[in-house]
Amino acid sequence: MSLKENREIITHIFRYLANQRDLFNILLVCRAWSGWGAEILWHQPDLKKKESCLQKMLCTLDSEYEMKNTMHDRPSGPTTYYTYSKFIRRLDLSHLGSSSVSDSILTAFSRCELLERVVLAGWENLTSIILETRLASWPNLVSINLTDVSALTNQAIISLTQASRKVLGINVTNCTRLGDPSLIAISQNWPDIRRLKTGRCHLVTDIGISAVVRGCPMLLELDVSGCLGVTDSAIRDVWTHSRRMRELQLASCNALTDLAFPSLDSEAEQDLPGTQKGTDTMPVNAVVDTDPPHVPEEFGTEVVALVSLDLAHSKLSDSSELTLA
């Protein structure tokens, strides 16, 4: 059996070890096992328990970077045996307090070019310049959470979409500096994206949402809650183009009216008991049945994939609710 085959089998067994101490012991068996165990330990580092772990990891990454860029002189820091930056695939740094966040931390992890999933939620102290340059360092990125990153700009998202073409999900909730240019870039560069959350991005309008639903046919989840610039036009495009949509968040979209939703034909509307136009509001979440009895032809037949719809605090009449029942 070849070494490669041995590695696949043994590392598969290693992943079932729940206790990290066992993995640390594996590092001492032999050189081959040490490398395989180190890769598993660094795959998704757990940095929530001790802040000292983060500092040691940053020191290791800095030393590795210094060794890589030092041709003749001996690096000032400790030497590293493995290329640890290529082991990290998933990274969750949302637990760090705003006082602990700095541009240097993002710069260090930007060297991990094989990163696939990143959570930077709550990083309010980052600067826009660092975000615009460092977010484009992860070509293998699949998912990223940038909730509450207030310095995030359209240019940072545009650079990210151009550098990382495999992204399937992004959360930019409450990133108030983002607008339509970001969504247009997403529609052009991420046609296979499945999940997009832009809640409380007040600069987002119909132009950006329509571009996304028209350019991203695989979209499953869309959150535009609190986006005051989103009106009926963009939501009608959702019914027309997003045939796979399963979850749609429209809470606090005050500009929406009954015209945003498929309308029942006049005869069916008259037969519906208790229908009143323009009188009531829907203050709670609504869950839509996966098999509605009537869908107008203009919206196609595959729109029935929708299973969850949030209309909290939306000023809609009973007729809109009944068309989605």
Side-chain angles (χ1 to χ4, degrees):
M1 185 176 293
S2 66
L3 181 62
K4 181 178 180 180
E5 292 173 335
N6 273 329
R7 173 174 179 167
E8 292 176 354
I9 295 173
I10 295 175
T11 54
H12 182 76
I13 296 172
F14 286 171
R15 295 182 190 279
Y16 285 95
L17 298 176
N19 193 335
Q20 280 197 344
R21 289 187 177 181
D22 294 333
L23 286 173
F24 286 131
N25 292 331
I26 284 173
L27 302 181
L28 305 177
V29 173
C30 64
R31 180 174 295 183
W33 279 35
S34 177
W36 301 343
E39 185 172 352
I40 295 174
L41 281 170
W42 283 69
H43 180 269
Q44 185 176 357
D46 184 4
L47 304 175
K48 297 180 180 180
K49 297 180 179 179
K50 295 182 179 180
E51 187 174 347
S52 59
C53 294
L54 174 62
Q55 298 304 323
K56 292 177 181 178
M57 178 171 288
L58 293 175
C59 181
T60 301
L61 293 175
D62 289 340
S63 298
E64 177 190 310
Y65 178 74
E66 188 176 355
M67 287 181 60
K68 182 179 179 180
N69 291 274
T70 301
M71 299 298 295
H72 304 290
D73 299 331
R74 181 180 177 85
S76 57
T79 59
T80 59
Y81 189 77
Y82 301 110
T83 308
Y84 293 99
S85 60
K86 293 187 177 181
F87 291 164
I88 303 176
R89 303 298 178 91
R90 300 185 179 187
L91 190 63
D92 184 355
L93 299 174
S94 59
H95 64 284
L96 296 179
S98 57
S99 59
S100 303
V101 172
S102 65
D103 290 344
S104 61
I105 295 179
L106 184 60
T107 298
F109 285 113
S110 68
R111 301 166 190 148
C112 304
E113 58 189 37
L114 298 182
L115 262 176
E116 298 174 354
R117 301 180 185 275
V118 182
V119 179
L120 302 177
W123 282 41
E124 299 178 352
N125 293 340
L126 293 177
T127 62
S128 57
I129 296 177
I130 288 295
L131 287 167
E132 291 170 5
T133 55
R134 302 308 182 192
L135 289 184
S137 304
W138 302 315
N140 294 286
L141 199 64
V142 175
S143 174
I144 185 168
N145 187 338
L146 297 166
T147 300
D148 294 324
V149 180
S150 56
L152 190 65
T153 62
N154 288 319
Q155 185 56 49
I157 295 298
I158 292 172
S159 300
L160 176 63
T161 60
Q162 293 172 346
S164 309
R165 298 301 184 96
K166 302 177 182 180
V167 173
L168 299 179
I170 183 171
N171 189 340
V172 290
T173 299
N174 206 31
C175 296
T176 54
R177 299 175 66 177
L178 296 186
D180 294 333
S182 296
L183 299 188
I184 292 173
I186 288 174
S187 68
Q188 293 173 344
N189 298 312
W190 295 344
D192 296 327
I193 191 171
R194 304 297 203 274
R195 295 169 179 83
L196 173 62
K197 296 183 181 295
T198 61
R200 299 189 298 280
C201 294
H202 302 307
L203 299 181
V204 170
T205 69
D206 290 347
I207 296 174
I209 298 301
S210 294
V212 168
V213 298
R214 290 172 181 266
C216 307
M218 305 299 291
L219 199 62
L220 299 175
E221 299 177 13
L222 177 63
D223 182 357
V224 294
S225 57
C227 296
L228 304 180
V230 176
T231 67
D232 299 340
S233 175
I235 303 307
R236 288 184 73 87
D237 279 344
V238 172
W239 309 125
T240 305
H241 300 283
S242 296
R243 305 296 180 82
R244 298 175 181 269
M245 185 70 67
R246 299 187 64 82
E247 181 178 329
L248 182 60
Q249 303 288 330
L250 301 175
S252 301
C253 291
N254 297 330
L256 297 184
T257 69
D258 293 344
L259 297 178
F261 300 90
S263 59
L264 292 170
D265 56 77
S266 58
E267 294 182 359
E269 188 171 2
Q270 292 175 359
D271 294 336
L272 290 172
T275 301
Q276 299 178 1
K277 297 183 178 179
T279 57
D280 298 331
T281 62
M282 182 186 292
V284 295
N285 295 352
V287 177
V288 181
D289 187 11
T290 58
D291 191 16
H294 176 80
V295 180
E297 293 183 359
E298 61 179 300
F299 296 102
T301 57
E302 297 182 22
V303 74
V304 296
L306 186 68
V307 296
S308 178
L309 177 65
D310 187 349
L311 296 171
H313 309 295
S314 298
K315 298 179 180 180
L316 301 172
S317 70
D318 292 343
S319 59
S320 296
E321 303 176 36
L322 291 169
T323 60
L324 297 170

